[in-house]
Amino acid sequence: MTGKSKTFDTRVNCYECKHFYVTWDAQMPRGCRAFGFKSAMLPSIVVRQSSGTLCMKFVKKEHKGRNG
């Protein structure tokens, strides 16, 4: 065993989600457009703590190349 928790591999990375955004609110700098809230923590952590499940609204961002 490598010491990693099982949740390490299943964690949702909000920075790779198209619904994630950075707000201008210094007290709540992270937001989720899909769920419609702002938070001091990453939205995926708030969802996990409140629902007990992983975020079901995660959609991976589509990155366009520098020429597109």
Side-chain angles (χ1 to χ4, degrees):
M1 181 166 228
T2 62
K4 291 182 185 176
S5 69
K6 289 183 180 182
T7 58
F8 179 80
D9 296 327
T10 58
R11 204 178 309 171
V12 175
N13 185 352
C14 290
Y15 293 106
E16 293 180 1
C17 181
K18 77 174 197 172
H19 301 298
F20 176 77
Y21 68 101
V22 176
T23 75
W24 287 96
D25 187 344
Q27 300 297 317
M28 296 187 194
R30 298 168 186 96
C32 177
R33 288 189 180 96
F35 284 111
F37 71 89
K38 299 187 291 184
S39 173
M41 297 185 289
L42 284 175
S44 62
I45 295 172
V46 175
V47 169
R48 178 69 182 225
Q49 288 177 345
S50 61
S51 70
T53 62
L54 295 175
C55 179
M56 301 301 286
K57 302 262 185 175
F58 176 82
V59 178
K60 189 158 176 76
K61 286 182 187 176
E62 293 182 22
H63 294 285
K64 294 182 179 180
R66 290 189 183 260
N67 295 331

